Amino acid sequence: MSPELFFLEVITIYQRAKEQKYSDLNIFRGRSVSASSDIEDLTARFLSLNMPKNYLYFVDQPMKFKGFSTKYPDIAIQDCEGGLIRNLIDVKNDLGFKKSSGIFDFCEKWDAIIESVKGTETHFKLGHNKELLTGAFSENLKYHVVIITKKNSGQKIEDDQKRVDKLKNVNLYILSEGVHPNKYRLKPEEITRKLIIHKEEFSRLLNFIN
């Protein structure tokens, strides 16, 4: 899957989220259904299709972090053999929720958490059958914060990315800018034309994990 195809899927997810689920009834939704879960799944699929086959991808799993409350990384990547977890992914559609305060404090907090749990065991349950799985966090564990679009992410995002670059255990990626993939009153093909995809950020993420 290419970055271009990834964003076509992102746009499709947003378009579907705007559709009325029960359009034949007298029910009218204001805000769109959240697209976050579908974009998490899509990101896991993108990684799976572009990475070696010897990884397992666990999405939104409640995971034990020794010394902390249960955490829910959007994507945990585990070696098929040995059960080692080297990379955790946090997918943000944009930074609207931290538009004013920025993302650095969030990343700095996770930098400390990752440092603390390196080399420790973890466990989690599969959602569809509650099977208990075990694993271990690598001594070189990394936390990757992946932001789908710079749009609606505030004025601090560029400075925050430079500051995050100095952290030991956290990487920050911005996959696009220009028009938001969820732009209203534009057709998908219009959004695609106005979207600026940062292919180098996709490559940086894949190269690091691989």
Side-chain angles (χ1 to χ4, degrees), residues 167-184:
L167 296 178
K168 180 180 178 182
N169 304 306
V170 178
N171 293 336
L172 178 63
Y173 309 81
I174 305 170
L175 300 187
S176 74
E177 61 180 299
V179 68
H180 198 294
N182 192 29
K183 179 70 175 177
Y184 278 75

Side-chain angles (χ1 to χ4, degrees), residues 58-62 124-133:
F58 297 98
V59 180
D60 198 20
Q61 297 283 349
F124 47 96
K125 292 182 180 180
L126 294 180
H128 67 287
N129 61 11
K130 301 305 178 183
E131 178 187 354
L132 182 65
L133 301 177

Side-chain angles (χ1 to χ4, degrees), residues 84-149:
L84 196 63
I85 298 171
R86 307 171 192 271
N87 296 283
L88 301 172
I89 314 290
D90 192 331
V91 183
K92 307 291 187 191
N93 293 354
D94 57 39
L95 293 185
F97 74 112
K98 284 188 173 291
K99 194 171 183 178
S100 299
S101 60
I103 192 71
F104 179 76
D105 289 348
F106 173 87
C107 293
E108 189 176 43
K109 172 186 171 184
W110 268 103
D111 189 66
I113 293 172
I114 296 301
E115 187 65 27
S116 179
V117 301
K118 287 179 177 179
T120 65
E121 294 185 354
T122 185
H123 60 254
F124 47 96
K125 292 182 180 180
L126 294 180
H128 67 287
N129 61 11
K130 301 305 178 183
E131 178 187 354
L132 182 65
L133 301 177
T134 60
F137 292 124
S138 167
E139 292 286 356
N140 297 310
L141 181 66
K142 281 283 188 176
Y143 195 80
H144 306 271
V145 180
V146 177
I147 303 171
I148 299 299
T149 177

Side-chain angles (χ1 to χ4, degrees), residues 151-202:
K151 194 72 174 178
N152 195 36
S153 293
Q155 300 297 318
K156 294 184 177 181
I157 182 63
E158 292 184 4
D159 287 339
D160 282 350
Q161 189 171 32
K162 293 175 183 177
R163 296 174 71 191
V164 172
D165 284 345
K166 298 177 182 178
L167 296 178
K168 180 180 178 182
N169 304 306
V170 178
N171 293 336
L172 178 63
Y173 309 81
I174 305 170
L175 300 187
S176 74
E177 61 180 299
V179 68
H180 198 294
N182 192 29
K183 179 70 175 177
Y184 278 75
R185 300 183 183 88
L186 286 183
K187 295 179 180 179
E189 56 270 23
E190 294 176 298
I191 297 174
T192 302
R193 286 198 301 270
K194 296 183 178 183
L195 194 66
I196 301 170
I197 300 174
H198 295 163
K199 296 181 183 179
E200 71 282 1
E201 291 286 75
F202 282 89

Side-chain angles (χ1 to χ4, degrees), residues 8-20 32 35 180-189 191:
L8 282 175
E9 289 289 336
V10 169
I11 293 167
T12 299
I13 288 169
Y14 274 125
Q15 295 287 324
R16 288 175 180 168
K18 298 172 187 175
E19 295 175 359
Q20 188 78 16
S32 298
H180 198 294
N182 192 29
K183 179 70 175 177
Y184 278 75
R185 300 183 183 88
L186 286 183
K187 295 179 180 179
E189 56 270 23
I191 297 174

